[in-house]
Amino acid sequence: MTSATSSSSSTQTIELAPSYAIPLVLVLGSIPIVLLQIWVGLLIALFGLFLMIQAVTIRLQFTETALDVYRSQTLIRRFPYKDWSNWRIFWSSFPILFYFKEVNSIHFLPILFDPKQLKRCLEERCPQS
């Protein structure tokens, strides 16, 4: 497994760095909500903590032929680029959601990794037509 963080080519495996922005915004944003609606605030805080754990344990790796999803060191899913028909990152000013469509299914992932690095890898490996 090769890792690259700077100028990459499509033959290197690139592991995206984690981003804790969304979990932190949810946890910190839940504090004033708890004062108004305790159960709503607690649910938002729990969701933020869940996403924080996911950001710590889930890794995306762009290989030469596929996007691999790992939990710790275990490969849990492989998405070959040849099966992709479209992708999109929602809300470019504060990216929160990554969408991609395969031939037979669609996927939505919260942005728990470096959004700039994600976009760079997507444009390099899966250029949109």
Side-chain angles (χ1 to χ4, degrees), residues 19 21-23 88-98 109-116 118-119:
S19 171
I22 293 173
R88 186 168 178 197
I89 298 173
F90 289 99
W91 297 288
S92 58
S93 57
F94 185 72
I96 63 168
L97 194 62
F98 166 46
L109 298 164
I111 303 282
L112 301 175
F113 20 81
D114 181 343
K116 290 177 183 173
L118 170 66
K119 185 174 183 183

Side-chain angles (χ1 to χ4, degrees), residues 24-65:
L24 286 174
V25 166
L26 289 172
V27 170
L28 294 175
S30 71
I31 294 169
I33 296 171
V34 164
L35 300 174
L36 300 172
Q37 290 285 325
I38 190 163
W39 294 111
V40 174
L42 289 175
L43 286 174
I44 292 170
L46 285 173
F47 184 59
L49 291 173
F50 168 75
L51 289 180
M52 183 75 69
I53 292 168
Q54 295 300 308
V56 169
T57 60
I58 301 293
R59 290 291 167 264
L60 297 185
Q61 290 186 354
F62 283 86
T63 68
E64 186 175 351
T65 59

Side-chain angles (χ1 to χ4, degrees), residues 87 89 92 114-124:
W87 62 266
I89 298 173
S92 58
D114 181 343
K116 290 177 183 173
Q117 192 179 22
L118 170 66
K119 185 174 183 183
R120 196 169 39 249
C121 287
L122 288 168
E123 289 172 343
E124 182 180 288

